[in-house]
Amino acid sequence: MAALCGGEDLGLTVRDLVNGAVETAVRTSRALDPNRVYADNATALLADLAP
């Protein structure tokens, strides 16, 4: 995944991806209703499904 995202550190790549998803969720919820800003634990989910 890190290689696909242009990084070499998988942990940092995943953290950046999740932070971006949460920031987008907060920005989107703020645009919809400035009084109800949120991002929950379903905002971003990454799982290693390798056997």
Side-chain angles (χ1 to χ4, degrees):
M1 181 174 187
L4 292 173
C5 295
E8 294 183 19
D9 181 346
L10 181 58
L12 182 58
T13 299
V14 170
R15 191 172 304 115
D16 288 346
L17 181 74
V18 170
N19 285 340
V22 170
E23 289 170 9
T24 299
V26 168
R27 190 172 45 252
T28 301
S29 70
R30 183 174 286 131
L32 295 172
D33 183 351
N35 298 314
R36 189 169 179 226
V37 177
Y38 67 93
D40 62 20
N41 62 351
T43 296
L45 172 63
L46 296 175
D48 181 358
L49 302 176

PDB file of all heavy atoms in Angstrom, residues 14-48:
ATOM      1  N   VAL A  14      -0.413   5.015   6.038  1.00  0.00           N
ATOM      2  CA  VAL A  14      -1.763   4.709   6.527  1.00  0.00           C
ATOM      3  C   VAL A  14      -2.254   5.829   7.428  1.00  0.00           C
ATOM      4  O   VAL A  14      -3.397   6.272   7.328  1.00  0.00           O
ATOM      5  CB  VAL A  14      -1.784   3.346   7.257  1.00  0.00           C
ATOM      6  CG1 VAL A  14      -3.104   3.128   7.979  1.00  0.00           C
ATOM      7  CG2 VAL A  14      -1.520   2.224   6.264  1.00  0.00           C
ATOM      8  N   ARG A  15      -1.401   6.313   8.317  1.00  0.00           N
ATOM      9  CA  ARG A  15      -1.780   7.406   9.221  1.00  0.00           C
ATOM     10  C   ARG A  15      -2.177   8.645   8.424  1.00  0.00           C
ATOM     11  O   ARG A  15      -3.185   9.293   8.707  1.00  0.00           O
ATOM     12  CB  ARG A  15      -0.621   7.728  10.160  1.00  0.00           C
ATOM     13  CG  ARG A  15      -0.997   8.642  11.298  1.00  0.00           C
ATOM     14  CD  ARG A  15       0.127   8.800  12.319  1.00  0.00           C
ATOM     15  NE  ARG A  15       0.564   7.509  12.834  1.00  0.00           N
ATOM     16  CZ  ARG A  15       1.790   6.997  12.635  1.00  0.00           C
ATOM     17  NH1 ARG A  15       2.694   7.662  11.957  1.00  0.00           N
ATOM     18  NH2 ARG A  15       2.101   5.823  13.131  1.00  0.00           N
ATOM     19  N   ASP A  16      -1.399   8.986   7.404  1.00  0.00           N
ATOM     20  CA  ASP A  16      -1.725  10.138   6.555  1.00  0.00           C
ATOM     21  C   ASP A  16      -3.055   9.940   5.836  1.00  0.00           C
ATOM     22  O   ASP A  16      -3.857  10.867   5.731  1.00  0.00           O
ATOM     23  CB  ASP A  16      -0.620  10.395   5.531  1.00  0.00           C
ATOM     24  CG  ASP A  16       0.641  10.969   6.150  1.00  0.00           C
ATOM     25  OD1 ASP A  16       0.595  11.416   7.325  1.00  0.00           O
ATOM     26  OD2 ASP A  16       1.677  10.973   5.463  1.00  0.00           O
ATOM     27  N   LEU A  17      -3.285   8.736   5.341  1.00  0.00           N
ATOM     28  CA  LEU A  17      -4.529   8.432   4.642  1.00  0.00           C
ATOM     29  C   LEU A  17      -5.730   8.572   5.581  1.00  0.00           C
ATOM     30  O   LEU A  17      -6.732   9.207   5.238  1.00  0.00           O
ATOM     31  CB  LEU A  17      -4.479   7.022   4.057  1.00  0.00           C
ATOM     32  CG  LEU A  17      -5.704   6.593   3.272  1.00  0.00           C
ATOM     33  CD1 LEU A  17      -5.715   7.301   1.915  1.00  0.00           C
ATOM     34  CD2 LEU A  17      -5.730   5.099   3.088  1.00  0.00           C
ATOM     35  N   VAL A  18      -5.624   8.024   6.783  1.00  0.00           N
ATOM     36  CA  VAL A  18      -6.713   8.103   7.753  1.00  0.00           C
ATOM     37  C   VAL A  18      -6.922   9.549   8.201  1.00  0.00           C
ATOM     38  O   VAL A  18      -8.061  10.018   8.294  1.00  0.00           O
ATOM     39  CB  VAL A  18      -6.450   7.171   8.956  1.00  0.00           C
ATOM     40  CG1 VAL A  18      -7.442   7.426  10.084  1.00  0.00           C
ATOM     41  CG2 VAL A  18      -6.497   5.713   8.505  1.00  0.00           C
ATOM     42  N   ASN A  19      -5.846  10.269   8.475  1.00  0.00           N
ATOM     43  CA  ASN A  19      -5.987  11.677   8.867  1.00  0.00           C
ATOM     44  C   ASN A  19      -6.688  12.475   7.773  1.00  0.00           C
ATOM     45  O   ASN A  19      -7.546  13.308   8.064  1.00  0.00           O
ATOM     46  CB  ASN A  19      -4.631  12.287   9.186  1.00  0.00           C
ATOM     47  CG  ASN A  19      -4.080  11.831  10.507  1.00  0.00           C
ATOM     48  OD1 ASN A  19      -4.809  11.354  11.368  1.00  0.00           O
ATOM     49  ND2 ASN A  19      -2.774  11.965  10.682  1.00  0.00           N
ATOM     50  N   GLY A  20      -6.342  12.218   6.526  1.00  0.00           N
ATOM     51  CA  GLY A  20      -7.007  12.901   5.415  1.00  0.00           C
ATOM     52  C   GLY A  20      -8.492  12.563   5.346  1.00  0.00           C
ATOM     53  O   GLY A  20      -9.327  13.439   5.097  1.00  0.00           O
ATOM     54  N   ALA A  21      -8.823  11.306   5.590  1.00  0.00           N
ATOM     55  CA  ALA A  21     -10.231  10.900   5.566  1.00  0.00           C
ATOM     56  C   ALA A  21     -11.013  11.577   6.688  1.00  0.00           C
ATOM     57  O   ALA A  21     -12.132  12.046   6.481  1.00  0.00           O
ATOM     58  CB  ALA A  21     -10.342   9.376   5.687  1.00  0.00           C
ATOM     59  N   VAL A  22     -10.423  11.640   7.871  1.00  0.00           N
ATOM     60  CA  VAL A  22     -11.101  12.282   8.999  1.00  0.00           C
ATOM     61  C   VAL A  22     -11.255  13.785   8.749  1.00  0.00           C
ATOM     62  O   VAL A  22     -12.318  14.357   8.985  1.00  0.00           O
ATOM     63  CB  VAL A  22     -10.355  12.011  10.319  1.00  0.00           C
ATOM     64  CG1 VAL A  22     -10.907  12.857  11.459  1.00  0.00           C
ATOM     65  CG2 VAL A  22     -10.422  10.527  10.664  1.00  0.00           C
ATOM     66  N   GLU A  23     -10.215  14.429   8.249  1.00  0.00           N
ATOM     67  CA  GLU A  23     -10.302  15.861   7.936  1.00  0.00           C
ATOM     68  C   GLU A  23     -11.393  16.123   6.899  1.00  0.00           C
ATOM     69  O   GLU A  23     -12.150  17.091   7.009  1.00  0.00           O
ATOM     70  CB  GLU A  23      -8.958  16.377   7.433  1.00  0.00           C
ATOM     71  CG  GLU A  23      -7.906  16.458   8.518  1.00  0.00           C
ATOM     72  CD  GLU A  23      -6.515  16.744   7.972  1.00  0.00           C
ATOM     73  OE1 GLU A  23      -6.375  17.052   6.771  1.00  0.00           O
ATOM     74  OE2 GLU A  23      -5.561  16.660   8.766  1.00  0.00           O
ATOM     75  N   THR A  24     -11.495  15.258   5.903  1.00  0.00           N
ATOM     76  CA  THR A  24     -12.537  15.405   4.885  1.00  0.00           C
ATOM     77  C   THR A  24     -13.917  15.217   5.490  1.00  0.00           C
ATOM     78  O   THR A  24     -14.849  15.969   5.185  1.00  0.00           O
ATOM     79  CB  THR A  24     -12.306  14.401   3.737  1.00  0.00           C
ATOM     80  OG1 THR A  24     -11.035  14.671   3.147  1.00  0.00           O
ATOM     81  CG2 THR A  24     -13.392  14.502   2.679  1.00  0.00           C
ATOM     82  N   ALA A  25     -14.071  14.241   6.376  1.00  0.00           N
ATOM     83  CA  ALA A  25     -15.359  14.002   7.028  1.00  0.00           C
ATOM     84  C   ALA A  25     -15.771  15.204   7.878  1.00  0.00           C
ATOM     85  O   ALA A  25     -16.927  15.632   7.845  1.00  0.00           O
ATOM     86  CB  ALA A  25     -15.301  12.743   7.889  1.00  0.00           C
ATOM     87  N   VAL A  26     -14.831  15.766   8.617  1.00  0.00           N
ATOM     88  CA  VAL A  26     -15.130  16.931   9.448  1.00  0.00           C
ATOM     89  C   VAL A  26     -15.498  18.122   8.570  1.00  0.00           C
ATOM     90  O   VAL A  26     -16.484  18.818   8.828  1.00  0.00           O
ATOM     91  CB  VAL A  26     -13.939  17.256  10.375  1.00  0.00           C
ATOM     92  CG1 VAL A  26     -14.102  18.625  11.032  1.00  0.00           C
ATOM     93  CG2 VAL A  26     -13.762  16.175  11.434  1.00  0.00           C
ATOM     94  N   ARG A  27     -14.735  18.355   7.532  1.00  0.00           N
ATOM     95  CA  ARG A  27     -15.006  19.470   6.615  1.00  0.00           C
ATOM     96  C   ARG A  27     -16.375  19.302   5.947  1.00  0.00           C
ATOM     97  O   ARG A  27     -17.154  20.251   5.851  1.00  0.00           O
ATOM     98  CB  ARG A  27     -13.893  19.562   5.568  1.00  0.00           C
ATOM     99  CG  ARG A  27     -13.942  20.802   4.725  1.00  0.00           C
ATOM    100  CD  ARG A  27     -12.719  20.989   3.822  1.00  0.00           C
ATOM    101  NE  ARG A  27     -12.285  19.797   3.120  1.00  0.00           N
ATOM    102  CZ  ARG A  27     -11.174  19.106   3.400  1.00  0.00           C
ATOM    103  NH1 ARG A  27     -10.381  19.470   4.373  1.00  0.00           N
ATOM    104  NH2 ARG A  27     -10.864  18.036   2.703  1.00  0.00           N
ATOM    105  N   THR A  28     -16.705  18.088   5.537  1.00  0.00           N
ATOM    106  CA  THR A  28     -17.990  17.828   4.893  1.00  0.00           C
ATOM    107  C   THR A  28     -19.145  18.002   5.873  1.00  0.00           C
ATOM    108  O   THR A  28     -20.153  18.628   5.550  1.00  0.00           O
ATOM    109  CB  THR A  28     -18.012  16.402   4.305  1.00  0.00           C
ATOM    110  OG1 THR A  28     -16.949  16.289   3.349  1.00  0.00           O
ATOM    111  CG2 THR A  28     -19.334  16.097   3.622  1.00  0.00           C
ATOM    112  N   SER A  29     -18.987  17.468   7.082  1.00  0.00           N
ATOM    113  CA  SER A  29     -20.068  17.612   8.064  1.00  0.00           C
ATOM    114  C   SER A  29     -20.243  19.073   8.460  1.00  0.00           C
ATOM    115  O   SER A  29     -21.362  19.537   8.666  1.00  0.00           O
ATOM    116  CB  SER A  29     -19.821  16.735   9.296  1.00  0.00           C
ATOM    117  OG  SER A  29     -18.745  17.211  10.071  1.00  0.00           O
ATOM    118  N   ARG A  30     -19.153  19.830   8.551  1.00  0.00           N
ATOM    119  CA  ARG A  30     -19.244  21.251   8.878  1.00  0.00           C
ATOM    120  C   ARG A  30     -19.982  22.007   7.772  1.00  0.00           C
ATOM    121  O   ARG A  30     -20.771  22.912   8.040  1.00  0.00           O
ATOM    122  CB  ARG A  30     -17.858  21.840   9.082  1.00  0.00           C
ATOM    123  CG  ARG A  30     -17.880  23.297   9.485  1.00  0.00           C
ATOM    124  CD  ARG A  30     -16.508  23.831   9.823  1.00  0.00           C
ATOM    125  NE  ARG A  30     -16.108  23.284  11.124  1.00  0.00           N
ATOM    126  CZ  ARG A  30     -14.929  22.711  11.374  1.00  0.00           C
ATOM    127  NH1 ARG A  30     -14.032  22.621  10.424  1.00  0.00           N
ATOM    128  NH2 ARG A  30     -14.649  22.255  12.568  1.00  0.00           N
ATOM    129  N   ALA A  31     -19.759  21.617   6.512  1.00  0.00           N
ATOM    130  CA  ALA A  31     -20.440  22.269   5.386  1.00  0.00           C
ATOM    131  C   ALA A  31     -21.941  21.968   5.421  1.00  0.00           C
ATOM    132  O   ALA A  31     -22.750  22.822   5.044  1.00  0.00           O
ATOM    133  CB  ALA A  31     -19.838  21.806   4.065  1.00  0.00           C
ATOM    134  N   LEU A  32     -22.299  20.776   5.866  1.00  0.00           N
ATOM    135  CA  LEU A  32     -23.715  20.405   5.944  1.00  0.00           C
ATOM    136  C   LEU A  32     -24.420  21.041   7.126  1.00  0.00           C
ATOM    137  O   LEU A  32     -25.564  21.470   7.013  1.00  0.00           O
ATOM    138  CB  LEU A  32     -23.848  18.877   6.016  1.00  0.00           C
ATOM    139  CG  LEU A  32     -23.391  18.118   4.776  1.00  0.00           C
ATOM    140  CD1 LEU A  32     -23.393  16.620   5.052  1.00  0.00           C
ATOM    141  CD2 LEU A  32     -24.271  18.460   3.587  1.00  0.00           C
ATOM    142  N   ASP A  33     -23.743  21.086   8.275  1.00  0.00           N
ATOM    143  CA  ASP A  33     -24.327  21.674   9.483  1.00  0.00           C
ATOM    144  C   ASP A  33     -23.193  22.122  10.400  1.00  0.00           C
ATOM    145  O   ASP A  33     -22.591  21.304  11.094  1.00  0.00           O
ATOM    146  CB  ASP A  33     -25.205  20.645  10.200  1.00  0.00           C
ATOM    147  CG  ASP A  33     -25.908  21.224  11.423  1.00  0.00           C
ATOM    148  OD1 ASP A  33     -25.594  22.367  11.834  1.00  0.00           O
ATOM    149  OD2 ASP A  33     -26.763  20.517  11.979  1.00  0.00           O
ATOM    150  N   PRO A  34     -22.901  23.435  10.424  1.00  0.00           N
ATOM    151  CA  PRO A  34     -21.781  23.939  11.232  1.00  0.00           C
ATOM    152  C   PRO A  34     -21.930  23.658  12.728  1.00  0.00           C
ATOM    153  O   PRO A  34     -20.956  23.695  13.462  1.00  0.00           O
ATOM    154  CB  PRO A  34     -21.799  25.445  10.979  1.00  0.00           C
ATOM    155  CG  PRO A  34     -22.617  25.641   9.759  1.00  0.00           C
ATOM    156  CD  PRO A  34     -23.553  24.477   9.670  1.00  0.00           C
ATOM    157  N   ASN A  35     -23.142  23.357  13.186  1.00  0.00           N
ATOM    158  CA  ASN A  35     -23.371  23.086  14.605  1.00  0.00           C
ATOM    159  C   ASN A  35     -23.225  21.616  14.971  1.00  0.00           C
ATOM    160  O   ASN A  35     -23.349  21.255  16.137  1.00  0.00           O
ATOM    161  CB  ASN A  35     -24.778  23.567  15.008  1.00  0.00           C
ATOM    162  CG  ASN A  35     -24.920  25.055  14.820  1.00  0.00           C
ATOM    163  OD1 ASN A  35     -24.043  25.819  15.206  1.00  0.00           O
ATOM    164  ND2 ASN A  35     -25.999  25.475  14.196  1.00  0.00           N
ATOM    165  N   ARG A  36     -22.975  20.777  13.985  1.00  0.00           N
ATOM    166  CA  ARG A  36     -22.857  19.333  14.249  1.00  0.00           C
ATOM    167  C   ARG A  36     -21.666  18.769  13.470  1.00  0.00           C
ATOM    168  O   ARG A  36     -21.815  18.054  12.484  1.00  0.00           O
ATOM    169  CB  ARG A  36     -24.142  18.625  13.832  1.00  0.00           C
ATOM    170  CG  ARG A  36     -24.160  17.191  14.269  1.00  0.00           C
ATOM    171  CD  ARG A  36     -25.534  16.572  14.081  1.00  0.00           C
ATOM    172  NE  ARG A  36     -25.457  15.184  14.491  1.00  0.00           N
ATOM    173  CZ  ARG A  36     -25.965  14.188  13.790  1.00  0.00           C
ATOM    174  NH1 ARG A  36     -26.610  14.422  12.673  1.00  0.00           N
ATOM    175  NH2 ARG A  36     -25.848  12.968  14.223  1.00  0.00           N
ATOM    176  N   VAL A  37     -20.486  19.098  13.938  1.00  0.00           N
ATOM    177  CA  VAL A  37     -19.257  18.648  13.280  1.00  0.00           C
ATOM    178  C   VAL A  37     -18.837  17.321  13.898  1.00  0.00           C
ATOM    179  O   VAL A  37     -18.754  17.192  15.108  1.00  0.00           O
ATOM    180  CB  VAL A  37     -18.136  19.695  13.459  1.00  0.00           C
ATOM    181  CG1 VAL A  37     -16.851  19.212  12.842  1.00  0.00           C
ATOM    182  CG2 VAL A  37     -18.564  21.017  12.838  1.00  0.00           C
ATOM    183  N   TYR A  38     -18.592  16.329  13.063  1.00  0.00           N
ATOM    184  CA  TYR A  38     -18.195  15.023  13.583  1.00  0.00           C
ATOM    185  C   TYR A  38     -17.456  14.191  12.552  1.00  0.00           C
ATOM    186  O   TYR A  38     -17.556  14.416  11.360  1.00  0.00           O
ATOM    187  CB  TYR A  38     -19.408  14.237  14.076  1.00  0.00           C
ATOM    188  CG  TYR A  38     -20.339  13.835  12.939  1.00  0.00           C
ATOM    189  CD1 TYR A  38     -20.219  12.602  12.316  1.00  0.00           C
ATOM    190  CD2 TYR A  38     -21.310  14.706  12.495  1.00  0.00           C
ATOM    191  CE1 TYR A  38     -21.053  12.247  11.277  1.00  0.00           C
ATOM    192  CE2 TYR A  38     -22.143  14.364  11.439  1.00  0.00           C
ATOM    193  CZ  TYR A  38     -22.012  13.129  10.838  1.00  0.00           C
ATOM    194  OH  TYR A  38     -22.822  12.790   9.800  1.00  0.00           O
ATOM    195  N   ALA A  39     -16.721  13.257  13.059  1.00  0.00           N
ATOM    196  CA  ALA A  39     -16.113  12.186  12.281  1.00  0.00           C
ATOM    197  C   ALA A  39     -16.062  11.010  13.245  1.00  0.00           C
ATOM    198  O   ALA A  39     -15.508  11.121  14.327  1.00  0.00           O
ATOM    199  CB  ALA A  39     -14.727  12.567  11.805  1.00  0.00           C
ATOM    200  N   ASP A  40     -16.679   9.912  12.906  1.00  0.00           N
ATOM    201  CA  ASP A  40     -16.717   8.786  13.835  1.00  0.00           C
ATOM    202  C   ASP A  40     -15.733   7.698  13.429  1.00  0.00           C
ATOM    203  O   ASP A  40     -14.981   7.850  12.482  1.00  0.00           O
ATOM    204  CB  ASP A  40     -18.140   8.238  13.954  1.00  0.00           C
ATOM    205  CG  ASP A  40     -18.677   7.711  12.635  1.00  0.00           C
ATOM    206  OD1 ASP A  40     -17.875   7.406  11.736  1.00  0.00           O
ATOM    207  OD2 ASP A  40     -19.888   7.605  12.511  1.00  0.00           O
ATOM    208  N   ASN A  41     -15.760   6.596  14.150  1.00  0.00           N
ATOM    209  CA  ASN A  41     -14.791   5.540  13.892  1.00  0.00           C
ATOM    210  C   ASN A  41     -15.073   4.781  12.594  1.00  0.00           C
ATOM    211  O   ASN A  41     -14.296   3.924  12.215  1.00  0.00           O
ATOM    212  CB  ASN A  41     -14.718   4.561  15.072  1.00  0.00           C
ATOM    213  CG  ASN A  41     -16.019   3.848  15.332  1.00  0.00           C
ATOM    214  OD1 ASN A  41     -17.049   4.178  14.765  1.00  0.00           O
ATOM    215  ND2 ASN A  41     -15.965   2.866  16.199  1.00  0.00           N
ATOM    216  N   ALA A  42     -16.147   5.102  11.904  1.00  0.00           N
ATOM    217  CA  ALA A  42     -16.419   4.484  10.606  1.00  0.00           C
ATOM    218  C   ALA A  42     -15.989   5.390   9.457  1.00  0.00           C
ATOM    219  O   ALA A  42     -16.192   5.073   8.297  1.00  0.00           O
ATOM    220  CB  ALA A  42     -17.913   4.166  10.473  1.00  0.00           C
ATOM    221  N   THR A  43     -15.343   6.499   9.770  1.00  0.00           N
ATOM    222  CA  THR A  43     -14.880   7.422   8.744  1.00  0.00           C
ATOM    223  C   THR A  43     -13.849   6.755   7.844  1.00  0.00           C
ATOM    224  O   THR A  43     -13.883   6.895   6.639  1.00  0.00           O
ATOM    225  CB  THR A  43     -14.285   8.690   9.395  1.00  0.00           C
ATOM    226  OG1 THR A  43     -15.333   9.349  10.103  1.00  0.00           O
ATOM    227  CG2 THR A  43     -13.731   9.633   8.352  1.00  0.00           C
ATOM    228  N   ALA A  44     -12.923   6.030   8.436  1.00  0.00           N
ATOM    229  CA  ALA A  44     -11.896   5.355   7.656  1.00  0.00           C
ATOM    230  C   ALA A  44     -11.590   4.006   8.303  1.00  0.00           C
ATOM    231  O   ALA A  44     -11.417   3.924   9.508  1.00  0.00           O
ATOM    232  CB  ALA A  44     -10.633   6.186   7.610  1.00  0.00           C
ATOM    233  N   LEU A  45     -11.542   2.990   7.492  1.00  0.00           N
ATOM    234  CA  LEU A  45     -11.219   1.659   7.983  1.00  0.00           C
ATOM    235  C   LEU A  45     -10.255   1.025   7.005  1.00  0.00           C
ATOM    236  O   LEU A  45     -10.551   0.905   5.808  1.00  0.00           O
ATOM    237  CB  LEU A  45     -12.478   0.787   8.106  1.00  0.00           C
ATOM    238  CG  LEU A  45     -12.256  -0.674   8.436  1.00  0.00           C
ATOM    239  CD1 LEU A  45     -11.608  -0.815   9.816  1.00  0.00           C
ATOM    240  CD2 LEU A  45     -13.546  -1.451   8.366  1.00  0.00           C
ATOM    241  N   LEU A  46      -9.101   0.650   7.485  1.00  0.00           N
ATOM    242  CA  LEU A  46      -8.114  -0.058   6.681  1.00  0.00           C
ATOM    243  C   LEU A  46      -7.847  -1.384   7.375  1.00  0.00           C
ATOM    244  O   LEU A  46      -7.638  -1.422   8.582  1.00  0.00           O
ATOM    245  CB  LEU A  46      -6.813   0.745   6.580  1.00  0.00           C
ATOM    246  CG  LEU A  46      -6.932   2.075   5.855  1.00  0.00           C
ATOM    247  CD1 LEU A  46      -5.610   2.821   5.941  1.00  0.00           C
ATOM    248  CD2 LEU A  46      -7.306   1.854   4.410  1.00  0.00           C
ATOM    249  N   ALA A  47      -7.860  -2.445   6.616  1.00  0.00           N
ATOM    250  CA  ALA A  47      -7.636  -3.765   7.204  1.00  0.00           C
ATOM    251  C   ALA A  47      -6.680  -4.566   6.338  1.00  0.00           C
ATOM    252  O   ALA A  47      -6.727  -4.492   5.118  1.00  0.00           O
ATOM    253  CB  ALA A  47      -8.954  -4.502   7.326  1.00  0.00           C
ATOM    254  N   ASP A  48      -5.813  -5.306   6.989  1.00  0.00           N
ATOM    255  CA  ASP A  48      -4.912  -6.219   6.295  1.00  0.00           C
ATOM    256  C   ASP A  48      -5.621  -7.566   6.240  1.00  0.00           C
ATOM    257  O   ASP A  48      -5.759  -8.246   7.251  1.00  0.00           O
ATOM    258  CB  ASP A  48      -3.599  -6.327   7.051  1.00  0.00           C
ATOM    259  CG  ASP A  48      -2.611  -7.246   6.361  1.00  0.00           C
ATOM    260  OD1 ASP A  48      -2.957  -7.843   5.306  1.00  0.00           O
ATOM    261  OD2 ASP A  48      -1.494  -7.379   6.876  1.00  0.00           O
TER     262      ASP A  48
END
